[in-house]
Protein backbone atom coordinates (compact mmCIF):
# COMPACT_ATOMS: atom_id res chain seq x y z
CA UNK A 1 0.00 0.00 0.00
CA UNK A 2 1.47 3.25 -1.18
CA UNK A 3 0.71 5.54 1.70
CA UNK A 4 0.93 3.05 4.53
CA UNK A 5 3.50 4.02 7.16
CA UNK A 6 4.26 0.43 8.15
CA UNK A 7 4.59 -0.69 4.51
CA UNK A 8 7.18 2.08 4.14
CA UNK A 9 9.00 0.77 7.23
CA UNK A 10 8.95 -2.75 5.73
CA UNK A 11 10.40 -1.40 2.46
CA UNK A 12 13.08 0.53 4.37
CA UNK A 13 11.78 3.89 3.12
CA UNK A 14 11.27 4.99 6.73
CA UNK A 15 13.85 3.97 9.34
CA UNK A 16 12.91 1.78 12.29
CA UNK A 17 14.65 0.08 15.18
CA UNK A 18 14.28 -3.51 14.00
CA UNK A 19 14.68 -6.30 16.50
CA UNK A 20 13.66 -9.22 14.26
CA UNK A 21 12.87 -9.72 10.60
CA UNK A 22 12.12 -12.66 8.35
CA UNK A 23 10.24 -13.18 5.10
CA UNK A 24 6.80 -12.71 6.62
CA UNK A 25 7.10 -10.43 9.64
CA UNK A 26 9.00 -7.60 11.26
CA UNK A 27 9.35 -6.72 14.94
CA UNK A 28 10.57 -3.21 15.74
CA UNK A 29 10.55 -0.75 18.62
CA UNK A 30 7.55 1.52 18.97
CA UNK A 31 8.62 5.13 18.51
CA UNK A 32 6.56 6.25 21.54
CA UNK A 33 6.95 3.39 24.04
CA UNK A 34 4.20 2.88 26.60
CA UNK A 35 6.18 0.35 28.64
CA UNK A 36 9.87 -0.33 29.33
CA UNK A 37 9.72 -2.69 26.35
CA UNK A 38 7.28 -1.81 23.59
CA UNK A 39 7.64 -3.55 20.26
CA UNK A 40 5.34 -3.74 17.26
CA UNK A 41 4.93 -7.00 15.37
CA UNK A 42 3.72 -6.51 11.81
CA UNK A 43 3.14 -8.89 8.93
CA UNK A 44 4.76 -7.90 5.66
CA UNK A 45 1.49 -8.43 3.83
CA UNK A 46 -0.71 -5.35 4.14
CA UNK A 47 -4.19 -5.56 5.66
CA UNK A 48 -5.78 -3.01 7.92
CA UNK A 49 -6.82 -4.93 11.00
CA UNK A 50 -8.00 -8.25 12.36
CA UNK A 51 -11.48 -7.83 10.85
CA UNK A 52 -10.02 -7.42 7.35
CA UNK A 53 -7.80 -10.49 7.77
CA UNK A 54 -8.28 -13.44 5.41
CA UNK A 55 -8.11 -17.05 6.58
CA UNK A 56 -4.69 -17.35 4.97
CA UNK A 57 -3.43 -14.22 6.71
CA UNK A 58 -4.78 -15.58 10.00
CA UNK A 59 -2.64 -18.68 9.54
CA UNK A 60 0.40 -16.47 8.86
CA UNK A 61 -0.33 -14.40 11.95
CA UNK A 62 -0.65 -17.53 14.10
CA UNK A 63 2.69 -18.78 12.76
CA UNK A 64 4.31 -15.41 13.56
CA UNK A 65 2.92 -15.42 17.10
CA UNK A 66 4.33 -18.92 17.53
CA UNK A 67 7.71 -17.63 16.36
CA UNK A 68 7.40 -14.78 18.86
CA UNK A 69 6.84 -17.32 21.63
CA UNK A 70 10.24 -18.78 20.82
CA UNK A 71 11.99 -15.40 21.10
CA UNK A 72 10.81 -14.38 24.55
CA UNK A 73 14.27 -14.56 26.14
CA UNK A 74 16.13 -12.73 23.40
CA UNK A 75 13.50 -9.99 23.39
CA UNK A 76 13.85 -9.45 27.17
CA UNK A 77 10.33 -10.61 27.91
CA UNK A 78 11.11 -13.41 30.38
CA UNK A 79 8.98 -11.77 33.07
CA UNK A 80 5.87 -11.82 30.91
CA UNK A 81 4.31 -9.62 28.28
CA UNK A 82 1.02 -8.26 26.97
CA UNK A 83 -0.17 -8.39 23.36
CA UNK A 84 -2.61 -5.74 22.12
CA UNK A 85 -4.05 -5.10 18.67
CA UNK A 86 -6.18 -2.01 18.26
CA UNK A 87 -8.98 -2.01 15.68
CA UNK A 88 -10.93 1.10 14.78
CA UNK A 89 -11.70 4.46 16.31
CA UNK A 90 -12.90 3.25 19.73
CA UNK A 91 -9.60 1.46 20.19
CA UNK A 92 -7.66 4.49 18.85
CA UNK A 93 -6.06 2.58 15.98
CA UNK A 94 -3.83 5.14 14.29
CA UNK A 95 -2.01 3.04 11.68
CA UNK A 96 -4.18 1.03 9.28
CA UNK A 97 -1.82 -1.91 8.91
CA UNK A 98 -2.40 -4.76 11.32
CA UNK A 99 0.05 -4.59 14.18
CA UNK A 100 0.42 -6.34 17.49
CA UNK A 101 1.77 -4.27 20.35
CA UNK A 102 4.15 -6.27 22.55
CA UNK A 103 4.47 -4.68 25.98
CA UNK A 104 6.67 -5.86 28.82
CA UNK A 105 10.03 -5.50 30.52
CA UNK A 106 8.35 -4.36 33.72
CA UNK A 107 5.21 -4.95 35.80
CA UNK A 108 2.32 -3.66 33.69
CA UNK A 109 -0.88 -2.06 34.88
CA UNK A 110 -3.64 -4.43 35.98
CA UNK A 111 -5.97 -2.28 33.90
CA UNK A 112 -6.02 -2.70 30.15
CA UNK A 113 -8.18 0.27 29.19
P1 LIG B 1 -2.10 2.10 17.07
O1 LIG B 1 -2.43 3.38 17.77
O2 LIG B 1 -2.55 0.86 17.77
O3 LIG B 1 -2.49 2.14 15.62
O4 LIG B 1 -0.50 1.97 17.13
C1 LIG B 1 0.34 2.60 16.24
C2 LIG B 1 1.68 2.67 16.91
O5 LIG B 1 2.65 2.99 15.94
C3 LIG B 1 1.78 3.72 18.01
O6 LIG B 1 2.08 3.10 19.24
C4 LIG B 1 2.90 4.64 17.52
O7 LIG B 1 3.72 5.10 18.57
C5 LIG B 1 3.66 3.73 16.58
N1 LIG B 1 4.42 4.40 15.55
C6 LIG B 1 3.99 5.41 14.73
N2 LIG B 1 4.98 5.74 13.88
C7 LIG B 1 6.03 4.94 14.15
C8 LIG B 1 7.36 4.81 13.61
N3 LIG B 1 7.80 5.57 12.59
N4 LIG B 1 8.18 3.87 14.16
C9 LIG B 1 7.75 3.11 15.17
N5 LIG B 1 6.52 3.17 15.72
C10 LIG B 1 5.68 4.08 15.22
Amino acid sequence: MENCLFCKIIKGEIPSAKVYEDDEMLIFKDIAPQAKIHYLLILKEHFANIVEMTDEQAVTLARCLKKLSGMVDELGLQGGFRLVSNKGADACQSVEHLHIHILGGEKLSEKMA
Side-chain angles (χ1 to χ4, degrees):
M1 288 288 283
E2 248 173 53
N3 289 318
C4 171
L5 173 68
F6 287 171
C7 286
K8 287 181 179 171
I9 284 178
I10 289 163
K11 286 188 265 180
E13 294 172 6
I14 291 177
S16 67
K18 295 181 188 176
V19 297
Y20 176 80
E21 181 171 17
D22 64 23
D23 57 335
E24 56 191 359
M25 74 161 163
L26 179 65
I27 302 176
F28 58 104
K29 293 183 181 174
D30 195 293
I31 204 167
Q34 295 191 33
K36 193 169 173 194
I37 293 176
H38 186 171
Y39 302 127
L40 297 171
L41 183 160
I42 59 176
L43 301 191
K44 290 193 170 177
E45 191 176 350
H46 179 95
F47 55 98
N49 56 59
I50 212 153
V51 172
E52 304 293 323
M53 184 167 63
T54 64
D55 288 354
E56 205 172 53
Q57 289 163 340
V59 171
T60 305
L61 178 60
R63 190 167 48 243
C64 290
L65 291 174
K66 182 63 185 161
K67 281 188 264 188
L68 171 66
S69 76
M71 291 189 274
V72 164
D73 286 357
E74 64 190 87
L75 294 179
L77 298 167
Q78 301 91 332
F81 55 93
R82 180 173 293 158
L83 303 182
V84 175
S85 189
N86 294 320
K87 191 273 172 214
D90 280 1
C92 304
Q93 182 179 9
S94 61
V95 181
E96 297 284 323
H97 179 126
L98 179 96
H99 51 282
I100 310 290
H101 295 264
I102 305 166
L103 300 149
E106 63 181 329
K107 178 83 175 163
L108 301 174
S109 166
E110 289 182 9
K111 293 187 176 177
M112 285 189 281

